[in-house]
């Protein structure tokens, strides 16, 4: 929560000399981050409170209530992969948000670098573990969703590698851009859940997919949008709008981000109320 407040304070400190369009764009981005931070911290609390608590209680079989193809008695290797995957999901959720707080980067650079290294390693291991689980054990959904998840894993590994190389070379601006791409790629699973719950609430039930097989045209579109296309496309638009000298471009991008933030807030509220908080 302190990180979220720090970002808001950073936004309030923007120079009054900055163009109004730039301030509008920054305000929209900060609003997006605040909603994302609150939503992801809620998700991290759910991961720790449900998966972590049941594991510590010696009852990992309870994972199967919310994760088909989850814990399998006697399957030590895949159970270990799943456990590490869930642990890293918590680490990268909290660590990723810390990486985006300007105050931490400026005032605690050593902490930023240390958590950055842990974040990169955890993201890479989580991506690799996701591939092992999807293609080794099987997962819910159809082939299209498995392909989308695999593309997401490839994006995570690629962005992590490029971000690390730019950091080593002290190309800070380029490192920042690739770190942002990495954060969005890592958040693909979270975006998928939030988008799914928003869709279900708006349609007052499943629409465009079969909830029993967890497959259908909507889930195919959502998988590719959440895992590979929409977040990265919006980021590219935001970065270009920052550099644009055409006054209406930042305003248009700020309006788009504001609408997406509103939709995301609705999805976060639905996911928290239906999926996460009841299991804590």
């Amino acid at each position: 929560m302190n990180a979220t407040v720090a970002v808001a304070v950073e936004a309030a400190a923007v120079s009054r000399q900055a163009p109004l369009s730039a301030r509008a764009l920054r305000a929209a981005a900060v609003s997006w981050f605040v909603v994302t931070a609150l939503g992801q911290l809620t998700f991290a609390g759910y991961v720790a409170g449900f998966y972590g608590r049941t594991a510590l209680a010696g009852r990992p079989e309870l994972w199967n209530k919310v994760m088909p193809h989850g814990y399998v008695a006697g399957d030590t290797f895949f159970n270990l992969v799943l456990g590490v995957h869930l642990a890293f999901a918590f680490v990268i959720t909290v660590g990723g948000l810390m990486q985006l707080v300007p105050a931490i980067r400026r005032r605690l650079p050593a902490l930023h670098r240390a958590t950055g290294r842990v974040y990169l390693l955890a993201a890479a291991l989580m991506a690799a573990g996701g591939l092992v689980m999807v293609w080794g054990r099987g997962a819910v959904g159809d082939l299209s969703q498995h392909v989308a998840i695999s593309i997401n894993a490839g994006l995570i590994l690629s962005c992590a590698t490029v971000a690390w190389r730019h950091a080593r070379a002290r190309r800070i601006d380029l490192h920042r851009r690739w770190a942002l791409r990495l954060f969005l790629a890592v958040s693909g699973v979270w975006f998928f859940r939030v988008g799914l719950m928003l869709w279900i609430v708006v349609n007052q039930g499943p629409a465009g997919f079969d909830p029993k097989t967890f497959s259908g045209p909507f889930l195919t579109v959502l998988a590719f949008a959440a895992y590979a296309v929409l977040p990265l496309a919006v980021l590219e638009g935001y970065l270009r709008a920052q550099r644009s000298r055409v006054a209406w471009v930042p305003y248009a991008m700020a309006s788009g981000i504001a609408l997406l933030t509103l939709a995301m807030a609705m999805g976060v509220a639905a996911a928290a109320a239906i999926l996460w908080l009841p299991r804590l």
Side-chain angles (χ1 to χ4, degrees):
M1 188 69 69
N2 290 336
T4 304
V5 173
V7 172
V9 171
E10 291 283 341
V14 174
S15 172
R16 293 182 179 274
Q17 300 300 319
L20 183 59
S21 59
R23 282 183 278 164
L25 182 62
R26 182 179 179 85
V30 170
S31 298
W32 176 88
F33 178 78
V34 170
V35 171
T36 300
L38 293 174
Q40 292 201 0
L41 289 174
T42 303
F43 177 68
Y46 158 70
V47 171
F50 175 71
Y51 293 103
R53 174 172 51 83
T54 52
L56 291 175
R59 302 191 64 190
E61 68 277 4
L62 295 178
W63 297 354
N64 295 333
K65 289 186 176 182
V66 295
M67 182 187 290
H69 306 286
Y71 177 83
V72 177
D75 194 345
T76 304
F77 174 73
F78 281 106
N79 290 336
L80 180 61
V81 170
L82 176 59
V84 171
H85 183 82
L86 291 169
F88 281 140
F90 176 83
V91 170
I92 66 174
T93 297
V94 177
L97 294 172
M98 290 178 61
Q99 292 301 106
L100 298 186
V101 178
I104 293 178
R105 293 199 302 269
R106 286 202 308 268
R107 300 170 188 172
L108 300 169
L111 176 63
H112 174 73
R113 289 192 294 270
T115 56
R117 295 187 185 99
V118 173
Y119 180 73
L120 288 174
L121 178 60
L125 291 175
M126 191 187 76
L131 288 173
V132 170
M133 289 190 296
V134 167
W135 298 108
R137 173 177 286 185
V140 297
D142 56 17
L143 178 62
S144 65
Q145 294 174 56
H146 298 168
V147 170
I149 291 172
S150 300
I151 293 174
N152 179 252
L155 288 171
I156 290 172
L157 294 171
S158 299
C159 291
T161 300
V162 178
W164 176 76
R165 287 178 176 174
H166 286 311
R168 288 288 301 273
R170 298 294 188 269
R171 295 186 288 264
I172 302 304
D173 186 59
L174 289 173
H175 166 70
R176 170 181 168 272
R177 292 170 183 269
W178 282 97
L180 289 171
R181 294 180 181 113
L182 174 61
F183 174 81
L184 294 178
V186 167
S187 300
V189 172
W190 184 81
F191 288 131
F192 183 89
R193 283 165 171 74
V194 169
L196 175 60
M197 295 313 301
L198 173 64
W199 178 262
I200 290 175
V201 168
V202 168
N203 289 281
Q204 299 183 345
F209 69 96
D210 183 348
K212 293 183 179 179
T213 62
F214 204 68
S215 62
F218 169 72
L219 292 180
T220 297
V221 172
L222 177 62
F224 282 97
Y227 290 130
V229 179
L230 184 58
L232 293 175
V234 172
L235 174 61
E236 293 308 311
Y238 170 75
L239 294 175
R240 290 176 183 272
Q242 280 186 317
R243 302 190 301 270
S244 177
R245 296 183 179 181
V246 181
W248 63 265
V249 171
Y251 284 122
M253 195 67 220
S255 299
I257 292 175
L259 290 174
L260 287 173
T261 300
L262 178 60
M264 193 171 68
M266 294 171 60
V268 167
I274 298 171
L275 294 179
W276 303 332
L277 297 181
R279 297 190 174 98
L280 294 181

